[in-house]
Amino acid sequence: MDIKDLDIASLHPVPDAHGINLYEADASRDVLSAYLPEALYQHLQPHLSHLGQMAGGYLDDLASVADKNPPTLSIRTRAGIDENRINKHPDYVELERWAYSKLGLAAMSHRGGVLGWPEPMPPAAKYALTYLFVQAEFGLCCPVSMTDSLARTLRKFGDPALVEKVLPMVTTQDFDELHQGAMFMTEQGAGSDVSATDTTAQLHPDGHWILHGDKWFCSNPDAGFAMVLARSEETPGLKGISLFLLPRTLDDGSHNHYRILRLKDKLGTRSMASGEIRLEGAQAWLVGERGQGFKHMSDMINNSRLSNGVRAAGLMRRALTEALYVSKNRLAFNRRLIDLPLMQRQLLKLAVWTEQARTMVFQTARALEAFDRDEAGRPLARIMTPLIKFRACRDARKVTGDAMEVRGGCGYIEEWSDPRILRDAHLGSIWEGTSNIVALDVIRAIRREKSLPALRQLVDDLLREGTPVRAELAELQQSRIDAAFAVAEKAGEENDDIMARQVGTALYNVVTMAGMRWEAAKTQSEMRTRLADYVLLHRLSARDPLTAQDQADAELLNWLAQGV
């Protein structure tokens, strides 16, 4: 765009996107239509638009205050009575009301009536709303996810009487009656290595279990219910561990026998409490089979890993929106930033990674939904969850950092959203397994679950139903797909841990490229087709760093910036 065509007066030296509708500013928002029934998609449009408006202003303001005023732990009253109470800032409590009560994010997968829809909503609907909410507030989405996942795991493995008792408490939209959920798994000596769990469980004569031990990293530690891993059998390793449901309050109204020892002082997610818990004869109910605790907990972990991917994708989208807004509304060297060649390349790189994550979110949600319907879907779901957790969470760290750079010096100032988003983005690579752990889990899925054929079938199906690749790229695309699956198969056969991260990245890129071509056909979107081409050319193909680079696709960038 020529400088003479610009309304110079409208371009403030420090552009501020506060108050924009984050849903309407998202040029790729109609991708959701490919994953939802038409009636539900149309029903959700006003809700998504309203949430987008709130996330871009009111909820973002609440999140900023909550981030600067983290929760505190009150161990005793002034009279010396033990109380073990977490004090939350009122703005965080208001965010809780929005997530649990007004939006029903933790309930909509389990019952009808949420947002006026008569049936439980499919995962894609829940994740579309979460994708928007997390663009304002990241930390709270952990308790929301754990509440939702606890309900899911309890329904699958819990005794029917226990399900009947607890499920209404964790799926209600009555905020005053709600019992939030949590997952207490990590110990000092048992982080990634769950087999080293020391917490013990003893069966009481009346049928409930008594837990003793320390849990080292417990997010949402004052939750109404928590899923806890403890050693119930003398058998060493994972076979001796069972899964338990820990209530915060006993039937007689007294507090269960555990204490929050302290809260963590964290780099990010400062709005949400994480603490250390000591179980001192706490009463709990067995969930599922004795000695099968990690297997049952894995169901909750898989759901949490997808939720991590959703949150990473949402953070990337918020960061990209901010970067696009700044670049469209700031002048440098008598030109808009978005018209400068190097800035165009940077923005397109951020956009490709951001849109890959969105595609992987919904493709993984489809896989988990299919697994819930039929056990035959297990191999695909088993590999998709570590793939999204590994790559999307790592990409979020890069995207949020580079987006901060677009804003420049202001991006480093705590008055803006960039520092909070950047800090929060780093947690995704740690929760529910560090990058190395989840990359190795991809190899385990290939070797133990025989997941690779299911993943290849998914890719082939997506490409068959999707918009065809351009003729000049067809051979390259086929060769890159074949190479990715060949190296993954070899790594699985040889149990090659060294290749785990390369395999995870390659398979993620192949799936998202195919998914974008499928989305392009479903939504008639040339933008998705071009994004898929970028994945092929820039993330699946080797490029000589010493050769001249192609000019950025300015038309694609302008499409992506529509609405910002």
Side-chain angles (χ1 to χ4, degrees), residues 1 327 330-347 551-552 554 557:
M1 180 179 290
S327 64
R330 185 171 184 181
L331 291 176
F333 312 108
N334 291 321
R335 297 172 70 183
R336 296 186 309 169
L337 293 183
I338 199 171
D339 297 321
L340 300 174
L342 276 179
M343 181 59 72
Q344 289 179 342
R345 292 189 64 81
Q346 183 172 344
L347 290 171
Q551 189 74 18
L557 185 58

XYZ file of all heavy atoms in Angstrom, residues 1 327 330-347 551-552 554 557:
198
model
N 0.853 -1.192 0.000
C 0.000 0.000 0.000
C 0.883 1.235 0.000
O 1.846 1.332 0.750
C -0.918 0.009 1.224
C -1.829 1.237 1.277
S -2.932 1.210 2.717
C -4.018 -0.122 2.267
N 1.098 -4.360 13.329
C 1.753 -4.196 12.030
C 0.873 -3.461 11.032
O 1.381 -2.790 10.128
C 2.158 -5.555 11.464
O 1.025 -6.357 11.203
N 0.837 0.618 12.566
C 2.025 1.384 12.941
C 2.881 1.646 11.711
O 3.083 0.756 10.889
C 2.844 0.656 13.997
C 4.027 1.518 14.480
C 4.739 0.940 15.657
N 5.770 1.851 16.106
C 6.602 1.630 17.112
N 6.517 0.497 17.781
N 7.523 2.512 17.448
N 3.389 2.882 11.634
C 4.254 3.276 10.524
C 5.717 3.205 10.939
O 6.086 3.509 12.073
C 3.956 4.712 10.082
C 2.622 4.984 9.386
C 2.470 6.475 9.121
C 2.535 4.202 8.091
N 6.549 2.796 9.985
C 8.003 2.859 10.142
C 8.595 3.091 8.756
O 8.203 2.421 7.790
C 8.545 1.572 10.739
N 9.482 4.059 8.670
C 10.101 4.378 7.379
C 9.029 4.733 6.340
O 9.110 4.366 5.161
C 10.957 3.199 6.882
C 11.874 2.638 7.923
C 11.620 1.405 8.501
C 12.969 3.377 8.373
C 12.452 0.895 9.478
C 13.811 2.879 9.347
C 13.553 1.636 9.916
N 7.993 5.467 6.820
C 6.900 5.928 5.975
C 6.095 4.801 5.343
O 5.472 4.991 4.291
C 7.422 6.862 4.879
C 7.915 8.181 5.447
O 7.309 8.726 6.377
N 9.017 8.679 4.909
N 6.114 3.641 5.956
C 5.306 2.525 5.474
C 4.709 1.794 6.675
O 5.263 1.829 7.781
C 6.155 1.544 4.652
C 6.738 2.154 3.399
C 7.717 1.185 2.737
N 7.047 0.027 2.146
C 7.709 -0.979 1.563
N 9.037 -0.970 1.503
N 7.034 -1.987 1.031
N 3.572 1.124 6.441
C 3.043 0.279 7.505
C 3.991 -0.902 7.719
O 4.586 -1.417 6.763
C 1.657 -0.240 7.138
C 0.584 0.800 6.995
C -0.778 0.121 6.779
N -0.742 -0.858 5.701
C -1.703 -1.731 5.448
N -2.791 -1.753 6.221
N -1.610 -2.591 4.449
N 4.077 -1.348 8.957
C 4.948 -2.486 9.235
C 4.550 -3.705 8.408
O 5.409 -4.470 7.946
C 4.882 -2.859 10.722
C 5.456 -1.855 11.738
C 5.367 -2.450 13.136
C 6.883 -1.466 11.405
N 3.263 -3.912 8.202
C 2.795 -5.102 7.512
C 3.192 -5.102 6.031
O 3.138 -6.144 5.375
C 1.261 -5.240 7.653
C 0.831 -6.687 7.360
C 0.533 -4.240 6.759
C -0.616 -6.971 7.688
N 3.603 -3.952 5.507
C 4.014 -3.867 4.111
C 5.516 -4.027 3.924
O 6.011 -4.008 2.788
C 3.571 -2.516 3.518
C 2.064 -2.360 3.500
O 1.388 -3.367 3.213
O 1.564 -1.257 3.784
N 6.254 -4.195 5.022
C 7.700 -4.362 4.942
C 8.038 -5.838 4.728
O 7.508 -6.710 5.417
C 8.361 -3.851 6.220
C 8.118 -2.371 6.538
C 8.699 -2.017 7.898
C 8.723 -1.481 5.451
N 8.901 -6.157 3.769
C 9.153 -7.563 3.388
C 9.570 -8.462 4.546
O 9.059 -9.576 4.683
C 10.261 -7.448 2.331
C 10.066 -6.092 1.733
C 9.630 -5.220 2.866
N 10.493 -8.019 5.387
C 10.920 -8.877 6.491
C 9.796 -9.100 7.500
O 9.644 -10.192 8.050
C 12.143 -8.266 7.190
C 13.507 -8.555 6.563
C 14.610 -7.863 7.357
C 13.769 -10.060 6.509
N 9.005 -8.063 7.751
C 7.874 -8.210 8.660
C 6.844 -9.173 8.076
O 6.246 -9.982 8.809
C 7.230 -6.858 8.952
C 6.051 -6.930 9.913
S 6.500 -7.616 11.525
C 7.461 -6.249 12.201
N 6.643 -9.122 6.786
C 5.714 -10.052 6.154
C 6.159 -11.497 6.361
O 5.342 -12.377 6.661
C 5.594 -9.739 4.660
C 4.850 -8.450 4.365
C 4.771 -8.159 2.876
O 5.524 -8.717 2.073
N 3.867 -7.260 2.497
N 7.436 -11.749 6.203
C 7.950 -13.105 6.407
C 7.757 -13.538 7.861
O 7.368 -14.676 8.140
C 9.430 -13.181 6.033
C 9.721 -13.012 4.553
C 11.174 -13.316 4.245
N 11.480 -14.708 4.524
C 11.213 -15.719 3.704
N 10.635 -15.493 2.544
N 11.510 -16.960 4.041
N 8.019 -12.644 8.791
C 7.872 -12.980 10.203
C 6.414 -13.269 10.541
O 6.102 -14.254 11.224
C 8.392 -11.840 11.075
C 8.336 -12.124 12.574
C 9.041 -11.049 13.396
O 9.808 -10.253 12.858
N 8.786 -11.026 14.693
N 5.516 -12.433 10.060
C 4.097 -12.615 10.360
C 3.554 -13.902 9.745
O 2.744 -14.602 10.366
C 3.300 -11.402 9.860
C 3.518 -10.092 10.624
C 2.851 -8.934 9.890
C 2.990 -10.191 12.051
N 9.818 -14.337 -1.991
C 9.035 -13.224 -1.480
C 7.828 -13.774 -0.706
O 7.235 -14.786 -1.093
C 8.533 -12.345 -2.640
C 7.879 -11.041 -2.215
C 8.889 -10.014 -1.734
O 10.081 -10.137 -2.012
N 8.424 -9.001 -1.028
N 7.489 -13.142 0.389
C 6.345 -13.583 1.176
C 5.059 -13.398 0.380
O 4.954 -12.520 -0.483
C 6.274 -12.799 2.485
N 2.039 -11.874 0.011
C 1.364 -10.699 0.573
C -0.151 -10.858 0.545
O -0.860 -10.392 1.453
C 1.777 -9.448 -0.186
N -1.200 -12.939 3.461
C -1.067 -12.170 4.689
C -2.236 -11.197 4.844
O -2.786 -11.029 5.940
C 0.259 -11.404 4.701
C 0.598 -10.648 5.986
C 0.629 -11.591 7.175
C 1.936 -9.943 5.841
